[in-house]
Amino acid sequence: MGSVAIDPDLTARANIRNAALRLFADRGHDAVTVREIAAAAGVSPSLVVHHFGSKDGLRSAVDAHAAESFDAIFAELDGQDLAEMLASGEAPTSVAEAFTRAFPHGSPLPAYLRRLLLTNDPAGAALFGRWYAATRRLLDAMVELGAAAPSNDPAVRAAFLLANDLAMILLRNQIAAAIGDDPLTPAGLARWAREVTAIYIEGAFTAPAKESLS
């Protein structure tokens, strides 16, 4: 098990929470004990219980911290003027880009999100629902601005775009092995974004040529 960096500037409660976040992201909530969390945070198990009551209480605190961090990305997008962002080139082109901007390399938050979404966790379902609603609003606004083409089924289009962006996070390790770049690093993201943008704008397929009638 890898060590967890302890930040002396954080409170004991925050260090315990961060240690639990990294361990939960690596191994899952059920596989981690309070004793292991305490050792990773450099505190006693009794102090973990003192601050959080139980492992379930600590898990709730980790979920709340992760959700707050994730939602802040969408809140920022929802709260800014989309036309101004598009004109300045400051608008992220994907959820993955927003993650790369917000979280430093090595952050356990993308891995923790992967566990939340792929284990039918209620916290993950709630996050997806909020992000889907935000994606619908952004897509509708982009259509009004002429920055996106209208769709006959905007609900499916918004779900497709969100799922496609989240795939980079959910399949990060597999994508990195396939293309030789971590897609959640600036270099890997730039490479990924170039091709995805080309697919979105130019399309990936061509219609087969019709045989001429004899």
Side-chain angles (χ1 to χ4, degrees):
M1 179 179 65
S3 61
V4 177
I6 299 173
D7 187 340
D9 293 331
L10 292 178
T11 64
R13 180 182 175 86
N15 268 320
I16 294 168
R17 182 202 64 208
N18 289 352
L21 168 62
R22 190 169 294 277
L23 291 173
F24 291 167
D26 286 344
R27 295 164 49 198
H29 170 263
D30 291 339
V32 179
T33 67
V34 169
R35 188 173 298 278
E36 289 172 323
I37 295 167
V43 301
S44 66
S46 61
L47 189 62
V48 176
V49 174
H50 169 74
H51 280 295
F52 297 98
S54 65
K55 190 175 79 170
D56 285 340
L58 175 54
R59 196 268 174 90
S60 295
V62 169
D63 282 349
H65 170 66
E68 182 180 352
S69 300
F70 297 143
D71 283 344
I73 295 173
F74 281 84
E76 182 179 0
L77 292 175
D78 266 353
Q80 295 191 36
D81 183 84
L82 183 58
E84 182 179 326
M85 292 174 67
L86 291 171
S88 66
E90 294 179 355
T93 57
S94 68
V95 173
E97 181 179 349
F99 266 57
T100 301
R101 290 185 184 185
F103 304 130
H105 183 65
S107 168
L109 283 166
Y112 192 69
L113 174 64
R114 182 165 59 244
R115 284 195 176 274
L116 289 181
L117 291 177
L118 294 183
T119 57
N120 294 320
D121 191 286
L127 280 172
F128 187 90
R130 294 198 296 275
W131 293 357
Y132 171 74
T135 302
R136 278 294 305 268
R137 290 193 295 270
L138 287 170
L139 186 57
D140 290 345
M142 291 178 72
V143 170
E144 290 182 9
L145 291 169
S151 167
N152 291 328
D153 196 339
V156 169
R157 180 164 297 190
F160 166 77
L161 292 173
L162 178 58
N164 192 56
D165 288 343
L166 287 175
M168 287 182 63
I169 299 166
L170 302 180
L171 298 175
R172 176 184 187 176
N173 295 336
Q174 291 84 351
I175 291 172
I179 70 173
D181 276 318
D182 182 346
L184 292 187
T185 62
L189 180 64
R191 181 182 171 194
W192 184 271
R194 283 193 299 271
E195 186 61 21
V196 170
T197 300
I199 292 171
Y200 281 158
I201 295 177
E202 301 168 11
F205 306 103
T206 59
K210 295 182 179 180
E211 295 182 359
S212 58
L213 296 176
S214 57

